[in-house]
mmCIF file of all heavy atoms in Angstrom:
data_model
loop_
_atom_site.group_PDB
_atom_site.id
_atom_site.type_symbol
_atom_site.label_atom_id
_atom_site.label_comp_id
_atom_site.label_asym_id
_atom_site.label_seq_id
_atom_site.Cartn_x
_atom_site.Cartn_y
_atom_site.Cartn_z
ATOM 1 N N THR U 1 -8.084 1.344 -17.542
ATOM 2 C CA THR U 1 -9.233 0.459 -17.440
ATOM 3 C C THR U 1 -9.413 0.024 -16.000
ATOM 4 O O THR U 1 -8.478 0.048 -15.204
ATOM 5 C CB THR U 1 -9.090 -0.794 -18.321
ATOM 6 O OG1 THR U 1 -7.944 -1.545 -17.926
ATOM 7 C CG2 THR U 1 -8.967 -0.413 -19.797
ATOM 8 N N VAL U 2 -10.629 -0.402 -15.686
ATOM 9 C CA VAL U 2 -10.929 -0.920 -14.364
ATOM 10 C C VAL U 2 -11.985 -2.008 -14.496
ATOM 11 O O VAL U 2 -12.955 -1.860 -15.247
ATOM 12 C CB VAL U 2 -11.386 0.197 -13.400
ATOM 13 C CG1 VAL U 2 -12.622 0.920 -13.941
ATOM 14 C CG2 VAL U 2 -11.649 -0.361 -12.007
ATOM 15 N N THR U 3 -11.800 -3.106 -13.790
ATOM 16 C CA THR U 3 -12.782 -4.178 -13.802
ATOM 17 C C THR U 3 -13.859 -3.908 -12.767
ATOM 18 O O THR U 3 -13.764 -2.993 -11.953
ATOM 19 C CB THR U 3 -12.133 -5.531 -13.511
ATOM 20 O OG1 THR U 3 -11.731 -5.578 -12.135
ATOM 21 C CG2 THR U 3 -10.929 -5.768 -14.404
ATOM 22 N N GLY U 4 -14.902 -4.731 -12.802
ATOM 23 C CA GLY U 4 -15.969 -4.599 -11.826
ATOM 24 C C GLY U 4 -15.508 -4.831 -10.405
ATOM 25 O O GLY U 4 -16.163 -4.376 -9.458
ATOM 26 N N ARG U 5 -14.406 -5.523 -10.233
ATOM 27 C CA ARG U 5 -13.854 -5.781 -8.905
ATOM 28 C C ARG U 5 -12.776 -4.790 -8.502
ATOM 29 O O ARG U 5 -12.165 -4.949 -7.453
ATOM 30 C CB ARG U 5 -13.305 -7.208 -8.846
ATOM 31 C CG ARG U 5 -14.375 -8.260 -9.094
ATOM 32 C CD ARG U 5 -13.825 -9.661 -8.940
ATOM 33 N NE ARG U 5 -14.839 -10.664 -9.243
ATOM 34 C CZ ARG U 5 -15.719 -11.120 -8.368
ATOM 35 N NH1 ARG U 5 -15.705 -10.677 -7.122
ATOM 36 N NH2 ARG U 5 -16.614 -12.025 -8.740
ATOM 37 N N GLY U 6 -12.542 -3.781 -9.343
ATOM 38 C CA GLY U 6 -11.642 -2.714 -8.967
ATOM 39 C C GLY U 6 -10.200 -2.872 -9.391
ATOM 40 O O GLY U 6 -9.345 -2.088 -8.947
ATOM 41 N N ILE U 7 -9.901 -3.826 -10.228
ATOM 42 C CA ILE U 7 -8.540 -3.997 -10.723
ATOM 43 C C ILE U 7 -8.287 -2.970 -11.816
ATOM 44 O O ILE U 7 -9.024 -2.900 -12.795
ATOM 45 C CB ILE U 7 -8.312 -5.414 -11.250
ATOM 46 C CG1 ILE U 7 -8.564 -6.443 -10.148
ATOM 47 C CG2 ILE U 7 -6.900 -5.558 -11.803
ATOM 48 C CD1 ILE U 7 -8.535 -7.873 -10.623
ATOM 49 N N THR U 8 -7.237 -2.191 -11.670
ATOM 50 C CA THR U 8 -6.957 -1.093 -12.586
ATOM 51 C C THR U 8 -5.721 -1.352 -13.426
ATOM 52 O O THR U 8 -4.827 -2.110 -13.047
ATOM 53 C CB THR U 8 -6.772 0.227 -11.826
ATOM 54 O OG1 THR U 8 -5.697 0.093 -10.888
ATOM 55 C CG2 THR U 8 -8.046 0.596 -11.081
ATOM 56 N N ASN U 9 -5.693 -0.685 -14.560
ATOM 57 C CA ASN U 9 -4.552 -0.743 -15.456
ATOM 58 C C ASN U 9 -4.403 0.627 -16.102
ATOM 59 O O ASN U 9 -5.388 1.208 -16.549
ATOM 60 C CB ASN U 9 -4.747 -1.822 -16.519
ATOM 61 C CG ASN U 9 -3.541 -1.983 -17.411
ATOM 62 O OD1 ASN U 9 -2.411 -2.012 -16.942
ATOM 63 N ND2 ASN U 9 -3.766 -2.111 -18.715
ATOM 64 N N TYR U 10 -3.163 1.122 -16.158
ATOM 65 C CA TYR U 10 -2.898 2.446 -16.699
ATOM 66 C C TYR U 10 -1.820 2.403 -17.752
ATOM 67 O O TYR U 10 -0.873 1.613 -17.666
ATOM 68 C CB TYR U 10 -2.434 3.402 -15.600
ATOM 69 C CG TYR U 10 -3.446 3.704 -14.531
ATOM 70 C CD1 TYR U 10 -3.506 2.937 -13.375
ATOM 71 C CD2 TYR U 10 -4.321 4.766 -14.670
ATOM 72 C CE1 TYR U 10 -4.429 3.221 -12.387
ATOM 73 C CE2 TYR U 10 -5.247 5.060 -13.682
ATOM 74 C CZ TYR U 10 -5.295 4.282 -12.547
ATOM 75 O OH TYR U 10 -6.212 4.576 -11.562
ATOM 76 N N ALA U 11 -1.950 3.272 -18.731
ATOM 77 C CA ALA U 11 -0.844 3.505 -19.633
ATOM 78 C C ALA U 11 0.294 4.156 -18.859
ATOM 79 O O ALA U 11 0.063 4.933 -17.927
ATOM 80 C CB ALA U 11 -1.275 4.412 -20.788
ATOM 81 N N ASP U 12 1.521 3.838 -19.235
ATOM 82 C CA ASP U 12 2.673 4.376 -18.522
ATOM 83 C C ASP U 12 2.691 5.904 -18.527
ATOM 84 O O ASP U 12 3.146 6.531 -17.563
ATOM 85 C CB ASP U 12 3.971 3.852 -19.134
ATOM 86 C CG ASP U 12 4.215 2.387 -18.838
ATOM 87 O OD1 ASP U 12 3.594 1.848 -17.902
ATOM 88 O OD2 ASP U 12 5.039 1.777 -19.547
ATOM 89 N N SER U 13 2.181 6.496 -19.577
ATOM 90 C CA SER U 13 2.231 7.941 -19.715
ATOM 91 C C SER U 13 1.301 8.679 -18.761
ATOM 92 O O SER U 13 1.455 9.886 -18.564
ATOM 93 C CB SER U 13 1.897 8.345 -21.156
ATOM 94 O OG SER U 13 0.602 7.907 -21.515
ATOM 95 N N VAL U 14 0.343 7.974 -18.154
ATOM 96 C CA VAL U 14 -0.639 8.645 -17.308
ATOM 97 C C VAL U 14 -0.713 8.081 -15.902
ATOM 98 O O VAL U 14 -1.399 8.660 -15.046
ATOM 99 C CB VAL U 14 -2.048 8.595 -17.929
ATOM 100 C CG1 VAL U 14 -2.025 9.112 -19.354
ATOM 101 C CG2 VAL U 14 -2.631 7.189 -17.869
ATOM 102 N N LYS U 15 -0.040 6.995 -15.611
ATOM 103 C CA LYS U 15 -0.259 6.267 -14.363
ATOM 104 C C LYS U 15 0.059 7.078 -13.109
ATOM 105 O O LYS U 15 -0.492 6.801 -12.045
ATOM 106 C CB LYS U 15 0.527 4.959 -14.360
ATOM 107 C CG LYS U 15 2.030 5.120 -14.422
ATOM 108 C CD LYS U 15 2.710 3.763 -14.469
ATOM 109 C CE LYS U 15 4.219 3.889 -14.550
ATOM 110 N NZ LYS U 15 4.879 2.561 -14.610
ATOM 111 N N ASP U 16 0.915 8.054 -13.208
ATOM 112 C CA ASP U 16 1.263 8.884 -12.059
ATOM 113 C C ASP U 16 0.403 10.136 -11.948
ATOM 114 O O ASP U 16 0.531 10.893 -10.981
ATOM 115 C CB ASP U 16 2.737 9.292 -12.113
ATOM 116 C CG ASP U 16 3.686 8.120 -11.990
ATOM 117 O OD1 ASP U 16 3.352 7.156 -11.270
ATOM 118 O OD2 ASP U 16 4.764 8.163 -12.605
ATOM 119 N N ARG U 17 -0.475 10.343 -12.926
ATOM 120 C CA ARG U 17 -1.259 11.573 -12.963
ATOM 121 C C ARG U 17 -2.763 11.341 -12.992
ATOM 122 O O ARG U 17 -3.527 12.188 -12.541
ATOM 123 C CB ARG U 17 -0.869 12.398 -14.191
ATOM 124 C CG ARG U 17 0.595 12.800 -14.213
ATOM 125 C CD ARG U 17 0.918 13.644 -15.443
ATOM 126 N NE ARG U 17 0.776 12.874 -16.677
ATOM 127 C CZ ARG U 17 -0.055 13.188 -17.660
ATOM 128 N NH1 ARG U 17 -0.832 14.261 -17.568
ATOM 129 N NH2 ARG U 17 -0.106 12.449 -18.756
ATOM 130 N N PHE U 18 -3.201 10.217 -13.555
ATOM 131 C CA PHE U 18 -4.627 9.939 -13.723
ATOM 132 C C PHE U 18 -5.081 8.856 -12.763
ATOM 133 O O PHE U 18 -4.306 7.961 -12.398
ATOM 134 C CB PHE U 18 -4.924 9.474 -15.153
ATOM 135 C CG PHE U 18 -4.726 10.512 -16.223
ATOM 136 C CD1 PHE U 18 -4.178 11.754 -15.946
ATOM 137 C CD2 PHE U 18 -5.096 10.228 -17.530
ATOM 138 C CE1 PHE U 18 -3.993 12.704 -16.935
ATOM 139 C CE2 PHE U 18 -4.919 11.169 -18.532
ATOM 140 C CZ PHE U 18 -4.367 12.401 -18.238
ATOM 141 N N THR U 19 -6.348 8.913 -12.395
ATOM 142 C CA THR U 19 -6.944 7.898 -11.550
ATOM 143 C C THR U 19 -8.293 7.494 -12.119
ATOM 144 O O THR U 19 -9.147 8.350 -12.359
ATOM 145 C CB THR U 19 -7.128 8.393 -10.109
ATOM 146 O OG1 THR U 19 -5.864 8.787 -9.564
ATOM 147 C CG2 THR U 19 -7.711 7.280 -9.243
ATOM 148 N N ILE U 20 -8.472 6.201 -12.338
ATOM 149 C CA ILE U 20 -9.750 5.695 -12.819
ATOM 150 C C ILE U 20 -10.499 5.045 -11.656
ATOM 151 O O ILE U 20 -9.896 4.413 -10.788
ATOM 152 C CB ILE U 20 -9.562 4.694 -13.975
ATOM 153 C CG1 ILE U 20 -10.908 4.354 -14.623
ATOM 154 C CG2 ILE U 20 -8.839 3.433 -13.513
ATOM 155 C CD1 ILE U 20 -10.780 3.583 -15.929
ATOM 156 N N SER U 21 -11.804 5.210 -11.648
ATOM 157 C CA SER U 21 -12.632 4.592 -10.625
ATOM 158 C C SER U 21 -13.969 4.209 -11.232
ATOM 159 O O SER U 21 -14.376 4.740 -12.262
ATOM 160 C CB SER U 21 -12.821 5.524 -9.427
ATOM 161 O OG SER U 21 -13.438 6.739 -9.820
ATOM 162 N N ARG U 22 -14.644 3.279 -10.575
ATOM 163 C CA ARG U 22 -15.903 2.760 -11.091
ATOM 164 C C ARG U 22 -16.892 2.598 -9.949
ATOM 165 O O ARG U 22 -16.570 1.988 -8.933
ATOM 166 C CB ARG U 22 -15.665 1.421 -11.801
ATOM 167 C CG ARG U 22 -16.892 0.755 -12.394
ATOM 168 C CD ARG U 22 -16.479 -0.492 -13.168
ATOM 169 N NE ARG U 22 -17.606 -1.207 -13.721
ATOM 170 C CZ ARG U 22 -17.522 -2.292 -14.478
ATOM 171 N NH1 ARG U 22 -16.331 -2.793 -14.784
ATOM 172 N NH2 ARG U 22 -18.624 -2.877 -14.936
ATOM 173 N N GLU U 23 -18.085 3.131 -10.145
ATOM 174 C CA GLU U 23 -19.171 2.956 -9.204
ATOM 175 C C GLU U 23 -20.191 2.032 -9.855
ATOM 176 O O GLU U 23 -21.002 2.455 -10.674
ATOM 177 C CB GLU U 23 -19.811 4.287 -8.834
ATOM 178 C CG GLU U 23 -18.906 5.202 -8.038
ATOM 179 C CD GLU U 23 -19.631 6.417 -7.512
ATOM 180 O OE1 GLU U 23 -20.728 6.248 -6.946
ATOM 181 O OE2 GLU U 23 -19.104 7.533 -7.660
ATOM 182 N N ASN U 24 -20.141 0.779 -9.476
ATOM 183 C CA ASN U 24 -20.981 -0.219 -10.120
ATOM 184 C C ASN U 24 -22.468 0.052 -9.926
ATOM 185 O O ASN U 24 -23.267 -0.186 -10.833
ATOM 186 C CB ASN U 24 -20.629 -1.611 -9.597
ATOM 187 C CG ASN U 24 -19.229 -2.038 -9.970
ATOM 188 O OD1 ASN U 24 -18.780 -1.821 -11.095
ATOM 189 N ND2 ASN U 24 -18.531 -2.659 -9.032
ATOM 190 N N ALA U 25 -22.841 0.529 -8.757
ATOM 191 C CA ALA U 25 -24.245 0.789 -8.470
ATOM 192 C C ALA U 25 -24.812 1.892 -9.353
ATOM 193 O O ALA U 25 -26.017 1.932 -9.603
ATOM 194 C CB ALA U 25 -24.430 1.142 -7.004
ATOM 195 N N LYS U 26 -23.954 2.791 -9.817
ATOM 196 C CA LYS U 26 -24.383 3.886 -10.675
ATOM 197 C C LYS U 26 -24.061 3.649 -12.144
ATOM 198 O O LYS U 26 -24.328 4.517 -12.978
ATOM 199 C CB LYS U 26 -23.737 5.192 -10.223
ATOM 200 C CG LYS U 26 -24.150 5.652 -8.835
ATOM 201 C CD LYS U 26 -23.510 6.988 -8.495
ATOM 202 C CE LYS U 26 -23.958 7.476 -7.131
ATOM 203 N NZ LYS U 26 -23.341 8.781 -6.788
ATOM 204 N N ASN U 27 -23.476 2.512 -12.448
ATOM 205 C CA ASN U 27 -23.080 2.195 -13.825
ATOM 206 C C ASN U 27 -22.206 3.291 -14.417
ATOM 207 O O ASN U 27 -22.365 3.677 -15.581
ATOM 208 C CB ASN U 27 -24.311 1.974 -14.708
ATOM 209 C CG ASN U 27 -25.165 0.821 -14.249
ATOM 210 O OD1 ASN U 27 -24.653 -0.168 -13.720
ATOM 211 N ND2 ASN U 27 -26.471 0.933 -14.451
ATOM 212 N N THR U 28 -21.277 3.779 -13.626
ATOM 213 C CA THR U 28 -20.497 4.939 -14.009
ATOM 214 C C THR U 28 -19.006 4.715 -13.764
ATOM 215 O O THR U 28 -18.625 4.123 -12.762
ATOM 216 C CB THR U 28 -20.958 6.183 -13.233
ATOM 217 O OG1 THR U 28 -22.347 6.414 -13.488
ATOM 218 C CG2 THR U 28 -20.175 7.412 -13.650
ATOM 219 N N VAL U 29 -18.207 5.203 -14.686
ATOM 220 C CA VAL U 29 -16.761 5.178 -14.530
ATOM 221 C C VAL U 29 -16.247 6.607 -14.630
ATOM 222 O O VAL U 29 -16.784 7.420 -15.390
ATOM 223 C CB VAL U 29 -16.091 4.260 -15.579
ATOM 224 C CG1 VAL U 29 -16.286 4.801 -16.994
ATOM 225 C CG2 VAL U 29 -14.612 4.071 -15.264
ATOM 226 N N TYR U 30 -15.213 6.912 -13.861
ATOM 227 C CA TYR U 30 -14.651 8.248 -13.817
ATOM 228 C C TYR U 30 -13.169 8.207 -14.182
ATOM 229 O O TYR U 30 -12.494 7.189 -14.013
ATOM 230 C CB TYR U 30 -14.785 8.856 -12.422
ATOM 231 C CG TYR U 30 -16.187 8.873 -11.878
ATOM 232 C CD1 TYR U 30 -16.651 7.842 -11.070
ATOM 233 C CD2 TYR U 30 -17.058 9.921 -12.172
ATOM 234 C CE1 TYR U 30 -17.935 7.850 -10.570
ATOM 235 C CE2 TYR U 30 -18.337 9.932 -11.676
ATOM 236 C CZ TYR U 30 -18.780 8.897 -10.872
ATOM 237 O OH TYR U 30 -20.063 8.910 -10.373
ATOM 238 N N LEU U 31 -12.689 9.339 -14.643
ATOM 239 C CA LEU U 31 -11.268 9.504 -14.875
ATOM 240 C C LEU U 31 -10.855 10.857 -14.331
ATOM 241 O O LEU U 31 -11.211 11.893 -14.898
ATOM 242 C CB LEU U 31 -10.917 9.407 -16.361
ATOM 243 C CG LEU U 31 -9.420 9.466 -16.683
ATOM 244 C CD1 LEU U 31 -8.721 8.203 -16.182
ATOM 245 C CD2 LEU U 31 -9.193 9.632 -18.185
ATOM 246 N N GLN U 32 -10.124 10.845 -13.232
ATOM 247 C CA GLN U 32 -9.579 12.064 -12.657
ATOM 248 C C GLN U 32 -8.224 12.320 -13.294
ATOM 249 O O GLN U 32 -7.322 11.486 -13.186
ATOM 250 C CB GLN U 32 -9.442 11.938 -11.142
ATOM 251 C CG GLN U 32 -8.821 13.151 -10.465
ATOM 252 C CD GLN U 32 -9.697 14.377 -10.557
ATOM 253 O OE1 GLN U 32 -10.894 14.305 -10.294
ATOM 254 N NE2 GLN U 32 -9.111 15.503 -10.941
ATOM 255 N N MET U 33 -8.078 13.460 -13.940
ATOM 256 C CA MET U 33 -6.865 13.793 -14.662
ATOM 257 C C MET U 33 -6.208 15.001 -14.017
ATOM 258 O O MET U 33 -6.806 16.073 -13.948
ATOM 259 C CB MET U 33 -7.162 14.074 -16.134
ATOM 260 C CG MET U 33 -7.902 12.947 -16.838
ATOM 261 S SD MET U 33 -8.114 13.248 -18.615
ATOM 262 C CE MET U 33 -9.224 14.656 -18.556
ATOM 263 N N ASN U 34 -4.991 14.828 -13.559
ATOM 264 C CA ASN U 34 -4.233 15.894 -12.926
ATOM 265 C C ASN U 34 -2.952 16.174 -13.708
ATOM 266 O O ASN U 34 -2.506 15.357 -14.503
ATOM 267 C CB ASN U 34 -3.877 15.521 -11.483
ATOM 268 C CG ASN U 34 -5.088 15.289 -10.616
ATOM 269 O OD1 ASN U 34 -6.099 15.985 -10.736
ATOM 270 N ND2 ASN U 34 -4.993 14.314 -9.714
ATOM 271 N N SER U 35 -2.375 17.329 -13.454
ATOM 272 C CA SER U 35 -1.118 17.729 -14.097
ATOM 273 C C SER U 35 -1.190 17.574 -15.608
ATOM 274 O O SER U 35 -0.290 17.004 -16.239
ATOM 275 C CB SER U 35 0.046 16.920 -13.519
ATOM 276 O OG SER U 35 0.156 17.106 -12.123
ATOM 277 N N LEU U 36 -2.240 18.085 -16.187
ATOM 278 C CA LEU U 36 -2.459 17.925 -17.615
ATOM 279 C C LEU U 36 -1.449 18.721 -18.434
ATOM 280 O O LEU U 36 -1.064 19.835 -18.069
ATOM 281 C CB LEU U 36 -3.874 18.359 -17.981
ATOM 282 C CG LEU U 36 -4.972 17.393 -17.533
ATOM 283 C CD1 LEU U 36 -6.329 18.082 -17.569
ATOM 284 C CD2 LEU U 36 -4.972 16.151 -18.414
ATOM 285 N N GLY U 37 -1.042 18.132 -19.545
ATOM 286 C CA GLY U 37 -0.136 18.778 -20.477
ATOM 287 C C GLY U 37 -0.678 18.697 -21.881
ATOM 288 O O GLY U 37 -1.696 18.054 -22.141
ATOM 289 N N SER U 38 0.001 19.345 -22.801
ATOM 290 C CA SER U 38 -0.463 19.383 -24.184
ATOM 291 C C SER U 38 -0.563 17.991 -24.791
ATOM 292 O O SER U 38 -1.388 17.766 -25.684
ATOM 293 C CB SER U 38 0.464 20.260 -25.029
ATOM 294 O OG SER U 38 1.792 19.762 -25.020
ATOM 295 N N GLU U 39 0.252 17.070 -24.326
ATOM 296 C CA GLU U 39 0.214 15.704 -24.843
ATOM 297 C C GLU U 39 -1.083 14.983 -24.496
ATOM 298 O O GLU U 39 -1.376 13.926 -25.069
ATOM 299 C CB GLU U 39 1.417 14.901 -24.323
ATOM 300 C CG GLU U 39 1.384 14.582 -22.829
ATOM 301 C CD GLU U 39 1.942 15.691 -21.955
ATOM 302 O OE1 GLU U 39 2.152 16.817 -22.461
ATOM 303 O OE2 GLU U 39 2.176 15.434 -20.763
ATOM 304 N N ASP U 40 -1.855 15.536 -23.574
ATOM 305 C CA ASP U 40 -3.118 14.935 -23.174
ATOM 306 C C ASP U 40 -4.299 15.419 -24.010
ATOM 307 O O ASP U 40 -5.416 14.930 -23.826
ATOM 308 C CB ASP U 40 -3.389 15.206 -21.695
ATOM 309 C CG ASP U 40 -2.315 14.625 -20.789
ATOM 310 O OD1 ASP U 40 -1.979 13.437 -20.960
ATOM 311 O OD2 ASP U 40 -1.812 15.359 -19.917
ATOM 312 N N THR U 41 -4.075 16.369 -24.882
ATOM 313 C CA THR U 41 -5.145 16.868 -25.743
ATOM 314 C C THR U 41 -5.594 15.767 -26.694
ATOM 315 O O THR U 41 -4.798 15.222 -27.454
ATOM 316 C CB THR U 41 -4.679 18.088 -26.537
ATOM 317 O OG1 THR U 41 -4.413 19.172 -25.648
ATOM 318 C CG2 THR U 41 -5.743 18.525 -27.536
ATOM 319 N N ALA U 42 -6.875 15.435 -26.650
ATOM 320 C CA ALA U 42 -7.418 14.351 -27.458
ATOM 321 C C ALA U 42 -8.912 14.259 -27.225
ATOM 322 O O ALA U 42 -9.463 14.902 -26.325
ATOM 323 C CB ALA U 42 -6.752 13.022 -27.094
ATOM 324 N N VAL U 43 -9.564 13.445 -28.035
ATOM 325 C CA VAL U 43 -10.926 13.038 -27.755
ATOM 326 C C VAL U 43 -10.856 11.790 -26.892
ATOM 327 O O VAL U 43 -10.192 10.820 -27.248
ATOM 328 C CB VAL U 43 -11.724 12.756 -29.036
ATOM 329 C CG1 VAL U 43 -13.123 12.258 -28.699
ATOM 330 C CG2 VAL U 43 -11.799 14.011 -29.896
ATOM 331 N N TYR U 44 -11.536 11.824 -25.770
ATOM 332 C CA TYR U 44 -11.523 10.712 -24.833
ATOM 333 C C TYR U 44 -12.808 9.912 -24.983
ATOM 334 O O TYR U 44 -13.909 10.461 -24.928
ATOM 335 C CB TYR U 44 -11.370 11.219 -23.401
ATOM 336 C CG TYR U 44 -9.969 11.662 -23.084
ATOM 337 C CD1 TYR U 44 -9.443 12.821 -23.644
ATOM 338 C CD2 TYR U 44 -9.153 10.915 -22.233
ATOM 339 C CE1 TYR U 44 -8.145 13.223 -23.379
ATOM 340 C CE2 TYR U 44 -7.857 11.313 -21.960
ATOM 341 C CZ TYR U 44 -7.356 12.464 -22.534
ATOM 342 O OH TYR U 44 -6.069 12.861 -22.260
#
């Protein structure tokens, strides 16, 4: 998760691999996922 002021929170299982970001002007949030494994298979 990420707040409008940029404070982030990650699950322990992804914190070293995923990055969340938010562009408030575009009303958009992103999730960059690296080093993906089978445990990451899911509906997001």
Side-chain angles (χ1 to χ4, degrees):
T1 61
V2 58
T3 70
R5 299 184 183 274
I7 301 173
T8 59
N9 184 44
Y10 295 91
D12 288 342
S13 60
V14 307
K15 63 182 179 181
D16 295 326
R17 300 181 294 120
F18 293 7
T19 302
I20 190 169
S21 60
R22 180 175 178 177
E23 293 189 47
N24 295 318
K26 296 183 178 180
N27 299 327
T28 302
V29 65
Y30 305 94
L31 184 69
Q32 177 66 47
M33 305 185 293
N34 299 322
S35 301
L36 287 163
S38 60
E39 69 275 12
D40 299 311
T41 295
V43 177
Y44 285 71

